[in-house]
């Protein structure tokens, strides 16, 4: 778009309050901020190695919790959200277009397989979480925010919606992400925004496919496939970038060192 002389305002949101980050920092016995900053630094280094133009802004969820609370309060006020046992949920029965973005049939949603159970009570098991009550271990570590609903922490869905709407407005042009996040994540963040504004969060949703190793999804925890390690093996960032661009973005990439060679 920049090459074609468009002005681009590119925002990358960083979910440094994610469940995996919280559990990962706990296992590593380090503070959440220290744990996430190390990963954020590596992420930005990898982008530079690949020659990816930096975004205009990298916004972190931990710095925008107040925006998420304000958004949730509006949803409660308009009747789209309810509190139950110190957690806050989005009532999908109040939002008629729910399911249109992903094309999913609400009646065929498999509870526990495609929507989070969270071990919490809901009016409808298909309703999704906006704020979940903090566990005792999280309270001890200060991972919570005091709200009208208790000491809670935000869900992934409201984080993305709040940061997008703050920096890009009620409806922006292009949302990019991974195909496997279309449902429930993108469906949910779009519902949060559209319920309040009557507009979709984005006009176009661009979804890329996964990187596969030996025909299987790359497992972030065990595969050990990192750009820094590939660099140490003698592969340049330019060669890695070329491989990533060698397939259509909506087709999976089969990764191997043979293909890199």
């Amino acid at each position: 778009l920049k090459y074609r002389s468009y002005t681009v305002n590119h925002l990358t949101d960083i979910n440094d309050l994610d469940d995996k980050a919280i559990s990962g920092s706990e296992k590593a016995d380090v503070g959440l901020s220290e744990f996430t900053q190390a990963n954020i630094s590596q992420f930005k280094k990898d982008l530079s190695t690949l020659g990816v133009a930096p975004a205009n802004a990298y916004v972190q969820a931990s710095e925008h919790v107040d925006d998420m609370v304000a958004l949730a309060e509006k949803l409660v006020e308009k009747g789209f959200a309810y509190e139950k046992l110190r957690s806050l949920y989005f009532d999908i029965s109040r939002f008629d277009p729910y399911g249109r973005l992903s094309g999913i049939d609400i009646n065929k949603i498999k509870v526990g397989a495609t929507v989070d159970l969270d071990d919490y009570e809901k009016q409808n098991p298909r309703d999704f979480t906006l704020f979940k009550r903090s566990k005792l271990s999280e309270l001890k570590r200060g991972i919570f925010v005091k709200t009208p609903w208790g000491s809670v922490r935000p869900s992934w869905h409201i984080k993305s919606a709040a940061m997008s709407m703050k920096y890009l407005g009620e409806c922006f042009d292009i949302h990019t992400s991974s195909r496997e996040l279309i449902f429930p994540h993108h469906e949910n963040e779009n519902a949060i925004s559209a319920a309040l504004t009557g507009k979709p969060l984005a006009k176009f949703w661009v979804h890329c496919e996964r990187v596969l190793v030996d025909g299987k999804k790359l497992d972030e925890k065990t595969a050990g496939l990192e750009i820094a390690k590939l660099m140490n093996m003698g592969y340049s960032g330019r060669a890695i970038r070329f491989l990533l661009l060698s397939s259509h973005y909506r087709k999976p990439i089969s990764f191997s060192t043979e293909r890199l060679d």
Side-chain angles (χ1 to χ4, degrees):
L1 289 169
K2 284 182 177 178
Y3 177 77
R4 292 176 179 271
S5 302
Y6 286 91
T7 301
V8 179
N9 181 21
H10 179 197
L11 175 78
T12 296
D13 71 78
I14 297 177
N15 188 359
D16 57 345
L17 288 176
D18 175 64
D19 291 357
K20 290 181 180 178
I22 292 171
S23 62
S25 63
E26 194 168 6
K27 287 176 184 174
D29 196 27
V30 297
L32 179 60
S33 178
E34 180 184 347
F35 182 83
T36 55
Q37 285 305 319
N39 283 282
I40 291 167
S41 296
Q42 186 60 54
F43 167 63
K44 290 181 178 178
K45 188 176 179 181
D46 287 345
L47 292 179
S48 177
T49 297
L50 293 175
V52 176
N56 293 74
Y58 294 91
V59 296
Q60 295 177 219
S62 59
E63 299 172 358
H64 295 84
V65 177
D66 289 345
D67 297 308
M68 300 167 204
V69 173
L71 196 60
E73 287 175 337
K74 290 178 184 176
L75 289 168
V76 172
E77 186 182 320
K78 293 204 170 189
F80 288 104
Y82 63 90
E83 181 262 333
K84 193 163 186 180
L85 298 180
R86 297 299 182 184
S87 289
L88 192 72
Y89 301 100
F90 187 98
D91 185 350
I92 67 171
S93 70
R94 296 294 308 275
F95 184 65
D96 290 338
Y98 190 83
R100 288 184 192 170
L101 176 65
S102 60
I104 199 159
D105 184 342
I106 299 175
N107 298 316
K108 293 180 180 177
I109 295 174
K110 294 179 181 178
V111 177
T114 50
V115 293
D116 58 81
L117 286 174
D118 280 337
D119 299 323
Y120 301 127
E121 286 291 324
K122 306 176 187 177
Q123 291 177 5
N124 179 338
R126 292 175 178 82
D127 291 342
F128 63 86
T129 313
L130 296 170
F131 278 88
K132 59 180 75 176
R133 65 176 181 269
S134 293
K135 300 174 184 175
L136 181 60
S137 60
E138 294 163 356
L139 293 172
K140 288 179 179 178
R141 298 177 67 204
I143 303 173
F144 68 90
V145 57
K146 289 186 177 180
T147 69
W149 320 291
S151 295
V152 297
R153 62 183 181 87
S155 76
W156 185 10
H157 317 305
I158 199 161
K159 292 172 202 166
S160 298
M163 291 189 286
S164 295
M165 294 174 74
K166 176 169 184 171
Y167 289 94
L168 300 176
E170 293 182 351
C171 177
F172 56 95
D173 292 312
I174 304 170
H175 183 298
T176 65
S177 192
S178 169
R179 181 188 61 79
E180 63 180 356
L181 301 183
I182 297 174
F183 186 85
H185 181 49
H186 298 156
E187 189 71 60
N188 291 350
E189 65 171 319
N190 184 64
I192 290 168
S193 172
L196 294 177
T197 68
K199 307 170 187 174
L201 181 63
K203 297 173 186 174
F204 297 94
W205 297 74
V206 179
H207 294 103
C208 67
E209 259 292 357
R210 290 293 300 253
V211 175
L212 304 178
V213 178
D214 297 326
K216 298 177 181 177
K217 285 196 303 184
L218 182 61
D219 186 329
E220 298 91 346
K221 294 180 182 177
T222 59
L225 181 62
E226 299 168 10
I227 289 172
K229 288 183 179 178
L230 291 173
M231 295 282 289
N232 289 335
M233 292 166 65
Y235 299 107
S236 68
R238 193 168 176 82
I240 300 166
R241 178 185 175 94
F242 187 83
L243 177 61
L244 293 171
L245 292 173
S246 64
S247 301
H248 190 280
Y249 75 93
R250 285 171 66 182
K251 292 184 178 180
I253 295 174
S254 180
F255 182 88
S256 68
T257 52
E258 288 79 13
R259 288 195 70 195
L260 261 180
D261 291 335

